[in-house]
């Protein structure tokens, strides 16, 4: 499709073959979703040590109390205690889901392993993060990103895939131009600053790019 780079302060995009200007960046979406959470953390609006049960128990009274043991950090690092991944709209047929409420589907999966012990990659985790951002920011993840990242970094045409209830997926389905991905990367390399404007703290980026989980050979099984 196309390749973009920023070198010596100059942006350049080369189209290798005709392509859409914006394309699905799949799980790279998670990096941008987690940065949105970092912005809320920087502002003291949410702590990654907060448990999932307390966040959603009012909206979902039937949520299993085992979610009290699961923190936002566990969700971010795929160590919630579930045994297998799910809610991957890129490979799964959503018509086979039991309902249109993806958050209910996620919360109905009861953690069976002690949280923080085993890495189990799942798109469900970043859908949960999307809904947490929405709950604490008062706006859908896409709208929050547009205000806090897309507009400051001068993204063009960015859009997020939505669940049947209209919430941004968070884990996948973010459509971006390659040059906008490069700008996001440049912002991260510059410790959270883009053209003199602070987007996210250097402290958050240090956490985000440091080792969180020591993986064993069976972590992806």
């Amino acid at each position: 499709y196309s390749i973009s780079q920023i070198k010596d302060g100059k942006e350049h995009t080369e189209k290798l073959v005709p392509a859409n200007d914006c394309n699905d960046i799949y799980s790279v979406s998670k990096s941008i979703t987690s940065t949105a959470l970092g912005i809320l953390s920087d502002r003291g609006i949410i702590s990654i040590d907060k448990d999932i049960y307390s966040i959603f128990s009012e909206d979902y009274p039937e949520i299993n109390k085992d979610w009290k043991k699961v923190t936002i950090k566990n969700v971010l690092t795929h160590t919630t205690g579930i045994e297998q991944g799910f809610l991957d709209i890129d490979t799964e047929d959503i018509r086979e889901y039991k309902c249109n409420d993806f958050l209910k589907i996620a919360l109905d999966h009861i953690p069976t392993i002690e949280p923080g012990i085993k890495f189990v990659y799942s798109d469900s985790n970043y859908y949960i993060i999307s809904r947490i951002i929405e709950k604490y920011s008062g706006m859908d993840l896409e709208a929050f990103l547009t205000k806090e990242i897309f507009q400051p970094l001068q993204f063009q045409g960015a859009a997020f895939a939505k669940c049947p209830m209209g919430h941004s997926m968070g884990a996948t389905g973010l459509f971006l131009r390659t040059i906008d991905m490069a700008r996001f990367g440049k912002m991260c390399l510059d410790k959270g600053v883009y053209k003199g404007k602070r987007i996210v703290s250097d402290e958050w980026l240090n956490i985000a790019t440091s080792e969180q989980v020591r993986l064993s050979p069976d972590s992806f099984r």
Side-chain angles (χ1 to χ4, degrees):
Y1 292 139
S2 56
I3 297 175
S4 297
Q5 70 171 4
I6 301 174
K7 185 176 182 180
D8 299 327
K10 296 181 180 179
E11 298 180 352
H12 179 70
T13 297
E14 185 75 23
K15 288 201 172 185
L16 306 182
V17 295
N20 297 323
D21 287 331
C22 290
N23 288 283
D24 189 351
I25 64 171
Y26 298 102
S27 284
V28 180
S29 307
K30 294 179 178 69
S31 295
I32 296 180
T33 296
S34 63
T35 303
L37 186 70
I39 293 171
L40 293 180
S41 176
D42 289 341
R43 295 173 182 173
I45 296 173
I46 188 69
S47 167
I48 63 173
D49 295 321
K50 193 172 183 65
D51 71 277
I52 302 305
Y53 182 90
S54 64
I55 295 172
F56 293 118
S57 59
E58 184 175 337
D59 300 321
Y60 293 84
E62 72 280 8
I63 183 175
N64 190 284
K65 291 185 179 179
D66 283 347
W67 281 99
K68 288 183 177 182
K69 302 176 184 178
V70 182
T71 65
I72 294 175
K73 182 178 180 180
N74 293 140
V75 180
L76 280 168
T77 57
H78 299 283
T79 58
T80 60
I82 61 171
E83 295 192 49
Q84 63 183 31
F86 63 99
L87 217 62
D88 182 353
I89 63 168
D90 297 317
T91 62
E92 299 170 0
D93 186 345
I94 67 171
R95 294 171 297 179
E96 296 178 359
Y97 293 172
K98 64 181 181 180
C99 67
N100 287 334
D101 189 338
F102 284 10
L103 186 54
K104 176 175 172 54
I105 293 173
L107 297 176
D108 279 351
H109 281 68
I110 302 170
T112 57
I113 307 168
E114 186 68 21
I117 300 298
K118 185 176 181 180
F119 177 92
V120 178
Y121 189 87
S122 180
D123 278 7
S124 62
N125 291 325
Y126 275 71
Y127 181 77
I128 292 174
I129 295 297
S130 172
R131 296 295 297 272
I132 290 173
I133 292 167
E134 181 176 332
K135 189 175 182 69
Y136 284 89
S137 70
M139 61 183 77
D140 176 70
L141 173 61
E142 182 182 319
F144 184 79
L145 287 169
T146 298
K147 178 183 177 184
E148 303 294 342
I149 296 179
F150 298 165
Q151 289 181 345
L153 271 62
Q154 300 174 307
F155 283 17
Q156 184 173 339
F160 232 129
K162 302 294 197 297
C163 74
M165 295 177 67
H167 305 285
S168 295
M169 287 304 301
T172 186
L174 179 56
F175 286 75
L176 292 181
R177 298 169 186 240
T178 53
I179 192 60
D180 294 335
M181 295 178 72
R183 289 171 183 164
F184 178 80
K186 183 73 164 55
M187 179 271 293
C188 293
L189 287 174
D190 290 342
K191 301 182 178 181
V193 175
Y194 184 76
K195 292 188 175 181
K197 178 179 175 61
R198 168 68 61 187
I199 305 298
V200 67
S201 69
D202 188 27
E203 290 79 9
W204 177 267
L205 291 174
N206 285 335
I207 294 171
T209 56
S210 65
E211 181 182 277
Q212 298 294 323
V213 184
R214 181 61 59 88
L215 302 181
S216 60
D218 66 346
S219 293
F220 293 92
R221 295 176 185 172

